[in-house]
Amino acid sequence: MTLPNKLGRGLRRALRVIGWAIVAVTLYYFTVAVAQHWSQIAAWSPGWQAWAIVFAAIFFYSTALLLLAELWHGLVQGTQDQTFSRALTFSTYSKTQIAKYLPGNVFQYLGRHIVMADHGASQGGLALANILEICTLILVAGLFALIGFTFGAAPHSLEISEVIPIHWLVPTAMVIAILMIILITRMLRAQPNTPSRQRLIYGSLLASIFFLAMGFTLLVLVGLVSGDYDPAIIVIAVTSWLLGYVTPGAPGGIGIREFVLLIFLQAYISEAEALIAIGLFRVVTSLGDLAFFIGGAFLWRISPRVE
């Protein structure tokens, strides 16, 4: 094994350990908060109308995941010599997406490779499609959060500078965006098949709509618990998703997202209400992923034939 390979494996291992440590700390913090407010949480007794809203939120979120499936379908189409049907790409995406809850947070991508390779897809093209999807989601979510906080989405009783030094926020985001754009450009030049500019713009639009839908889901749940429907909650939801997504090894962003949501939501509602809303949000998104998985298994029939 060469020295660069050893260093690369060591770096990946170190990042996973750091990610797991962050997950452990944030889960501990969240668990302690739940224990402190358990009496208030247990006293919350929603009626059947509230549960109907929760079930509707599960359906709404699982349907929104189709946007991400369409994003990946377009990227796959743009990186392959042949054209694959949505029956194949959507089913592959939905049935492997549930693997993000496994430790490591990468098995959904490996699953896509295994399934699509069996149908003749190029491994290099699939790798490019997955990397482009990751970069698109990070860039869109990061831009969403940055614009939201810049134009006043930060909670009125919690300055963003208390969490992240504001004079570092914009330049850091710009540097990361530039580096990702350079990486994407270099990868596109190195591949014989690359998505068109129209596909990338369309994919970014799909990701934007998904994040709006996800944020709206949290907004509805917060309103259900507390009656507060501040639009800034949508930005907070996207920010929590982003930080959970980029944490190495965090399955489904667990712990990270709850921690970020708890920090910001306390500026709008009580801590007990925030804990209830966050718990509902995790249930809705997890069951939404499960419903999406089941839908992919039953609604689409995988066919090796191309369109």
Side-chain angles (χ1 to χ4, degrees):
M1 182 181 296
T2 62
L3 181 59
N5 287 337
K6 289 182 179 179
L7 291 175
R9 289 187 61 183
L11 178 60
R12 289 193 295 271
R13 186 176 301 170
L15 289 174
R16 284 197 298 269
V17 171
I18 293 172
W20 294 335
I22 294 173
V23 170
V25 171
T26 53
L27 280 175
Y28 173 77
Y29 178 88
F30 189 78
T31 303
V32 169
V34 170
Q36 290 176 343
H37 297 279
W38 180 248
S39 60
Q40 294 169 275
I41 296 173
W44 186 63
S45 56
W48 68 267
Q49 297 95 335
W51 288 118
I53 292 174
V54 171
F55 281 110
I58 294 172
F59 177 78
F60 176 76
Y61 179 79
S62 64
T63 303
L65 291 171
L66 290 170
L67 296 167
L68 297 185
E70 176 65 19
L71 163 62
W72 190 68
H73 170 79
L75 294 175
V76 169
Q77 300 293 65
T79 56
Q80 300 291 324
D81 290 323
Q82 55 184 319
T83 302
F84 295 97
S85 68
R86 284 182 174 84
L88 174 60
T89 58
F90 274 45
S91 179
T92 299
Y93 190 91
S94 63
K95 291 196 292 186
T96 57
Q97 188 72 354
I98 200 73
K100 68 183 179 182
Y101 289 102
L102 297 175
N105 205 19
V106 295
F107 291 103
Q108 66 270 33
Y109 303 109
L110 297 177
R112 297 177 199 173
H113 273 260
I114 293 172
V115 174
M116 294 297 294
D118 287 342
H119 293 278
S122 162
Q123 289 294 305
L126 289 174
L128 178 60
N130 285 334
I131 292 175
L132 288 175
E133 179 200 14
I134 293 170
C135 291
T136 299
L137 293 175
I138 291 176
L139 285 173
V140 172
L143 185 62
F144 198 111
L146 185 61
I147 292 175
F149 284 125
T150 300
F151 288 93
H156 49 76
S157 62
L158 176 66
E159 295 294 334
I160 187 63
S161 58
E162 295 179 13
V163 182
I164 304 173
I166 194 65
H167 59 279
W168 285 106
L169 182 62
V170 174
T172 301
M174 290 181 64
V175 169
I176 293 174
I178 291 172
L179 290 175
M180 292 184 68
I181 291 172
I182 292 174
L183 173 64
I184 293 172
T185 303
R186 290 173 64 92
M187 293 191 64
L188 291 178
R189 288 176 179 173
Q191 291 292 329
N193 296 313
T194 59
S196 64
R197 184 180 304 174
Q198 290 77 9
R199 282 192 186 277
L200 294 176
I201 294 174
Y202 177 58
S204 299
L205 177 61
L206 291 171
S208 300
I209 298 173
F210 168 77
F211 286 127
L212 281 171
M214 183 191 66
F216 180 75
T217 302
L218 177 62
L219 178 64
V220 168
L221 295 175
V222 169
L224 178 66
V225 174
S226 66
D228 194 311
Y229 291 95
D230 196 305
I233 293 172
I234 296 177
V235 178
I236 293 171
V238 177
T239 303
S240 71
W241 180 94
L242 175 62
L243 294 178
Y245 188 71
V246 299
T247 301
I254 190 167
I256 314 299
R257 294 175 187 170
E258 285 76 10
F259 176 76
V260 174
L261 289 174
L262 186 58
I263 288 177
F264 284 105
L265 287 180
Q266 289 181 72
Y268 294 94
I269 58 181
S270 70
E271 188 170 15
E273 291 173 330
L275 290 168
I276 295 172
I278 294 168
L280 288 175
F281 188 56
R282 175 56 73 174
V283 169
V284 165
T285 54
S286 297
L287 292 182
D289 284 323
L290 179 60
F292 186 59
F293 168 79
I294 295 173
F298 285 95
L299 295 183
W300 293 291
R301 298 293 182 266
I302 293 182
S303 172
R305 295 174 300 173
V306 298
E307 289 181 338

